[in-house]
Amino acid sequence: MYIKQLPVGVAKGTLIDLETTGLDSCLYEIITLGVVVGNKLKILQRKDKDKELFYKRIKPIMKNLPQPFYAFNSGFEKKFLEHQLGIKIIDKDLYEPWRNKADKKGLKWPKLDEIVPPPETYFKESVVKGEDIPKLWDQFLAHEKQEYLDQIVRHNEIDLLRELI
C-alpha cells in the first residue's frame, strides 16, 4: 500500500479513483484503488492475476470509508464498485459542473487532462493516460516488472491530486 500525508484534504467523505482493465464494468476488473480520506492519500495496487484476492482485501476497506464518494465522473467508479464488489455508494460527481458548462456553451465534454493538465505536461515529459493503464497491466502480468505497477500507481496519485483541485 502506498500512503502519503497531504497538506490539504477532504473534509467530509472520500475522494476515490479506480484504475481498471477496461471501461465496461461488467467485462473488466479493478486493479487499483486510490483514495483520499482526510489528508491521507492511499493507493492499493493489485499485484497478480487473481482478482478475488484483491477484491477480498479492498471490499471491507470500501465499506468503511466515509461517504459520499467524490470522483471525476463518479458514474464510472460507481458502476465498477456495484458490479465488481457489490457495493452501493453515495457519489458526488466532480465532473458535473464542467459537463453542464460545456453543454450550455455547446462544447464537447472536457477531459480531466484538459481542465487540470498533469504536471508532466509542463516539463514536456511523457504522461501515462487512463487509456494506457490496461496495457501497463498486461505488460506487468507478462514480465512481472515492478516499473509497470509503479507507473499505474503514479497515474492514480496524479489523478487524485488533480481531482483535489
Side-chain angles (χ1 to χ4, degrees):
M1 179 184 320
Y2 175 83
I3 301 175
K4 184 181 240 180
Q5 190 93 13
L6 302 173
V8 295
V10 178
K12 180 183 174 189
T14 302
L15 178 62
I16 183 171
D17 188 45
L18 301 176
E19 305 306 334
T20 64
T21 58
L23 298 177
D24 188 325
S25 61
C26 295
L27 300 174
Y28 298 102
E29 304 169 1
I30 300 167
I31 58 170
T32 313
L33 167 64
V35 299
V36 175
V37 181
N39 68 338
K40 285 197 174 134
L41 183 145
K42 298 177 184 180
I43 300 173
L44 286 89
Q45 177 61 55
R46 198 165 124 194
K47 296 184 179 191
D48 58 39
K49 247 184 183 175
D50 185 2
K51 78 174 184 179
E52 294 308 320
L53 242 126
F54 185 67
Y55 286 9
K56 188 176 179 180
R57 184 173 169 213
I58 65 171
K59 193 171 182 177
I61 292 169
M62 293 301 303
K63 286 184 174 183
N64 289 314
L65 291 171
Q67 294 202 38
F69 287 171
Y70 298 95
F72 192 82
N73 198 8
S74 64
F76 178 82
E77 274 79 6
K78 186 173 187 160
K79 284 179 187 175
F80 269 91
L81 293 173
E82 288 178 356
H83 289 124
Q84 294 292 317
L85 300 178
I87 296 174
K88 300 281 186 202
I89 67 164
I90 300 166
D91 64 315
K92 298 284 185 181
D93 194 347
L94 300 174
Y95 187 46
E96 187 175 7
W98 304 110
R99 212 177 14 242
N100 292 342
K101 188 171 187 167
D103 285 346
K104 285 179 187 171
K105 293 185 175 264
L107 300 170
K108 72 171 184 65
W109 291 351
K111 294 181 179 181
L112 180 57
D113 289 350
E114 294 169 317
I115 296 170
V116 184
E120 292 87 352
T121 304
Y122 178 81
F123 296 104
K124 298 181 179 19
E125 296 173 352
S126 64
V127 175
V128 174
K129 296 184 178 184
E131 59 261 25
D132 299 328
I133 301 303
K135 185 177 178 184
L136 288 167
W137 177 248
D138 289 342
Q139 288 174 325
F140 168 75
L141 292 176
H143 305 290
E144 295 185 0
K145 290 187 178 179
Q146 182 65 35
E147 65 191 66
Y148 298 118
L149 293 183
D150 292 345
Q151 290 179 65
I152 295 171
V153 168
R154 177 71 177 148
H155 168 80
N156 189 263
E157 177 186 21
I158 294 285
D159 274 3
L160 285 167
L161 293 173
R162 292 186 302 150
E163 289 172 29
L164 276 174
I165 295 170

